[in-house]
Structures are given as C-alpha cells and as structure tokens.
Amino acid sequence: MEIEGEIATPIHSNFKRFGLKNSIQTNFGEDYVFEIVAKDDWTSMAVSLSTNVVKLYSPLSGQFLGECRGHSSTINQISFAGASSPHVLYSCSSDSTIRAWDSRSFQQVACVNAGPSEEVFSFSFGGADGNLVAAGCKSQILFWDWRTMKQTACLEESHMEDVTQVQFVPGHQNKLLSASVDGLMCLFDTSGDINDDDHLVSVFNVGTSIGKVGFFGEANQKLWCLTHIETLSVWDWNKSTTEANFDNARALASESWTLDHVDYFVDCHYSTEEDCLWAIGGTNAGTFGYFPVKYGSTKTIGSAEAVFHGGHTGIVRSVLPMSGIPGRNKSRGVFGWTGGEDGRLCCWLSDESTETNCSWVSSTLVEKSHKTHRKRHSPY
C-alpha cells in the first residue's frame, strides 16, 4: 500500500485547484483501476480492477469493505441498482456474463449468460417496469427479462461490429441507445416484441469507433459521444440533429492549458444546476482537468476550470465526483475519487476545504493479487 500526502496544483488564476487527500494502492503489481461507481446513498463505492475483481470501499472513510470474485475475464462495466434494490451491484464481462452481487455479503445472487465465445461490453436496465436488461455484445444487442432470467430478443442487423455502449434514456425507459465500433449510434423503441425492422427509430452516423456516450440536459434530450480517436460530438437525440462536432477536441482543450497537452478524454460530466457540460481530459502522466464544452451558437472547448495534479502517475480511467459542480464542497470537502492504470485510487480535496490536514489510512485496504497479468480494459 502506498499513501501520499496532499499535493496542490501550480497556482493559476483561471481554474480551481484540488489537493490530493489520499492515495491508495489497490493492488500490488501493475493492476489497473477500470471504473468507480457509487451507491445512491454514498455508503459504498465499487471499483473494478484488471484482476477481474470488484472491490468495495467507503467513499467517506476510504475503508475497504470487501470484494466480489467470480468473473473469469475483463470486467467491462459495473453499476449499482436503483432505489428498489439499493444493495445490488451489477457487472458485465468478456466472460459472456452479466452478474448481480449483494454488496453487503459480496456474494453473487444472479447471473445471465450471453452464450459461448460472446463478450458483454455494456449493459443497461430499462423497459416499462425496469426489468428489461439490454447487453451490448459482438455486433448484437441481447435482451433478458431479469425476473425470469430468460432471453427475450436479439438485435443483430443494426450493427456490424462490437457494440460498446447500450443505455436506456433516463426518463424515457422504453428508448434504448446503442453505440458501436462501426461508428453508428442507434435509437430503439423497446415496447412490445423487439426486432430490428419495427423498433429502430433513428441512426446517428458518428463516422468512427465509439467509446462512451451519455445523456444530459434538463430533460436528457442531449447526447454526448466520445470516440476511440478522442473526438467529441453533441447531439439532440429526439430531433436526430448534430449540435456540435469537435474533431480537434484535444487540440482545443490543450490550447489554453499551460500545464501540458491533453492526450485523451476520460469522460464527460454534466451539472444540472449550472446547465454546463465538461469534457474531462488527461495526460499520460496522470494530470487531468475539466474543460467546459460550448455547443450552442459558440462551439468550442474552453480553458480548464478545474485541474487535478500530483495523484496519478499514469492514465486516468475513471472519475467519480461527489458533487455536481467542480469545486463545490460536499461530504467533508471531498471532491471525489479517481482511478487509473497506475493501480491507484485517489481522493481529491478542494483547496477551499478547512480539513486539508486530514488523511485516511487503513491497513485493511489491500490484499495481494493472485493474478498479475496486465490487461487493458478496452479490446480496441
């Protein structure tokens, strides 16, 4: 285990600074942190690792709570269930399965299998009653009724390559968006008996392999899309129109950033209160920042409004903010957590907090990994 003291970013008047409150080496060796997600009530957060294990921690104390073991290949996505099943954690993997875990006992409670030689890259729960689960696989989208654990549909004509993302639209639970390496995003209506011919609503041609998508806006009518070549586009999915297309997203973000050059984008983050979208860009050395995305009459990516420096030594894979707006203090001044290819979990503290001398150390945070094989999260 490696614990580091708090490190402030260089003084700069144009962005908020964040200090490193604590750094936890989650495993010995060269294991990656892939994704960090939190329960709705923030009593625990789940962390997926390249050792095919999901570990759970307290986001407020940093205490290791336990781990979920069972996947035999790369874990591609994790997500907590909603208020109806607050203790359930879901995960999908390249081992062909979607599994459900009890986050209190850390035991598997349910599992569906996509079939031999299949990989599950993404999943989402939706439908009229929330029990329809969609899975993005190798050029297919599979559906199960989670109550019966039986497969109900398979869409195999809409995409030609791996389906990297599937998401039911928040507030429109019968609408499903899929995204693929083939450069297409497809919108489906999942009411009734699902098929490619009758339920495909619209197709968005991004033109290159798609990595991540997300919904935002007051009614979630907007859609952001990050590609594997680090381009960014913004869409109105309901009108089937492009709001902005940033083929030079990294260059725009790097123009006014004196710290370094943006090498990649981790994710996007939207604040409902501010009605602002940020692209989270990082460097190969571990520094990352929040860059505002302007997609209205002015279309540009602005100067970093928040910068995080000194925690990671490698590529950042996941950012979990504990507040809606960069810089707003919440939960004892903690901004949030990040994880990366250096195997670290980093907790960030706003420099406006009065608790900068606090640190969290626990001898129970780590357990030596039995598998040291280094594998990247994305197969592309």
Side-chain angles (χ1 to χ4, degrees):
M1 181 173 71
E2 183 177 343
I3 303 293
E4 292 192 0
E6 124 197 12
I7 302 173
T9 61
I11 296 175
H12 195 291
S13 60
N14 293 333
F15 56 72
K16 293 183 181 295
R17 298 181 296 118
F18 291 84
L20 179 66
K21 180 164 186 177
N22 197 20
S23 173
I24 302 166
Q25 196 74 30
T26 54
N27 270 302
F28 295 91
E30 297 182 333
D31 305 325
Y32 289 4
V33 174
F34 286 156
E35 188 177 9
I36 313 170
V37 300
K39 285 180 65 175
D40 287 345
D41 63 3
W42 288 95
T43 56
S44 66
M45 63 182 182
V47 180
S48 59
L49 301 172
S50 57
T51 49
N52 310 328
V53 174
V54 180
K55 294 192 174 187
L56 288 98
Y57 297 86
S58 166
L60 296 180
S61 69
Q63 179 184 1
F64 175 66
L65 303 176
E67 60 185 32
C68 302
R69 289 183 175 270
H71 283 298
S72 59
S73 189
T74 303
I75 298 172
N76 295 313
Q77 183 185 339
I78 55 176
S79 176
F80 276 100
S84 60
S85 304
H87 300 295
V88 177
L89 172 70
Y90 298 107
S91 60
C92 73
S93 167
S94 294
D95 65 8
S96 307
T97 66
I98 302 174
R99 302 176 190 237
W101 313 83
D102 188 319
S103 62
R104 298 164 297 183
S105 66
F106 316 109
Q107 298 300 307
Q108 179 179 306
V109 294
C111 178
V112 294
N113 197 305
S117 72
E118 194 60 89
E119 296 183 69
V120 184
F121 300 116
S122 180
F123 69 91
S124 183
F125 280 82
D129 55 10
N131 288 307
L132 182 65
V133 57
C137 302
K138 293 181 177 178
S139 76
Q140 296 180 333
I141 304 169
L142 303 180
F143 295 86
W144 289 268
D145 184 326
W146 195 256
R147 295 166 300 183
T148 64
M149 310 302 289
K150 292 183 178 180
Q151 187 175 324
T152 57
C154 174
L155 301 178
E156 52 188 356
E157 298 177 2
S158 300
H159 290 290
M160 300 299 293
E161 297 185 65
D162 294 352
V163 180
T164 54
Q165 295 276 280
V166 288
Q167 286 191 35
F168 283 97
V169 183
H172 306 267
Q173 283 298 85
N174 284 322
K175 294 288 196 303
L176 177 77
L177 185 88
S178 61
S180 169
V181 173
D182 62 15
L184 299 179
M185 295 188 294
C186 296
L187 184 69
F188 300 93
D189 186 335
T190 62
S191 304
D193 296 328
I194 306 167
N195 61 72
D196 288 276
D197 295 329
D198 301 326
H199 291 256
L200 179 62
V201 177
S202 54
V203 177
F204 311 88
N205 188 357
V206 178
T208 188
S209 178
I210 300 167
K212 283 186 177 182
V213 298
F215 297 97
F216 71 100
E218 185 177 350
N220 290 300
Q221 76 279 13
K222 305 294 185 184
L223 171 70
W224 58 262
C225 173
L226 285 171
T227 72
H228 288 120
I229 60 170
E230 313 302 341
T231 65
L232 170 65
S233 55
V234 177
W235 307 72
D236 186 313
W237 62 265
N238 197 33
K239 297 179 181 178
S240 300
T241 56
T242 308
E243 300 280 303
N245 190 14
F246 302 103
D247 290 332
N248 59 340
R250 281 185 295 181
L252 288 172
S254 300
E255 279 180 4
S256 54
W257 199 18
T258 58
L259 292 177
D260 212 328
H261 179 82
V262 174
D263 295 309
Y264 59 90
F265 290 102
V266 185
D267 209 335
C268 287
H269 178 70
Y270 175 73
S271 164
T272 304
E273 295 87 347
E274 292 288 308
D275 188 25
C276 184
L277 178 70
W278 289 275
I280 306 174
T283 73
N284 292 332
T287 300
F288 66 99
Y290 272 61
F291 299 87
V293 179
K294 307 299 181 184
Y295 54 89
S297 56
T298 301
K299 303 180 192 302
T300 189
I301 298 177
S303 302
E305 294 181 352
V307 172
F308 302 76
H309 175 73
H312 290 285
T313 58
I315 292 173
V316 176
R317 287 294 191 103
S318 186
V319 178
L320 176 67
M322 293 179 68
S323 58
I325 304 172
R328 174 174 291 182
N329 292 325
K330 181 181 179 181
S331 302
R332 302 178 189 172
V334 176
F335 171 81
W337 292 80
T338 55
E341 295 188 4
D342 53 10
R344 291 180 178 177
L345 276 178
C346 290
C347 179
W348 299 92
L349 195 69
S350 169
D351 64 349
E352 299 169 1
S353 171
T354 59
E355 299 193 14
T356 54
N357 292 324
C358 297
S359 63
W360 297 320
V361 180
S362 173
S363 60
T364 62
L365 285 173
V366 296
E367 178 178 319
K368 187 174 177 64
S369 169
H370 299 290
K371 183 178 181 181
T372 58
H373 176 63
R374 182 172 180 172
K375 184 174 181 179
R376 294 192 66 87
H377 180 44
S378 172
Y380 314 111

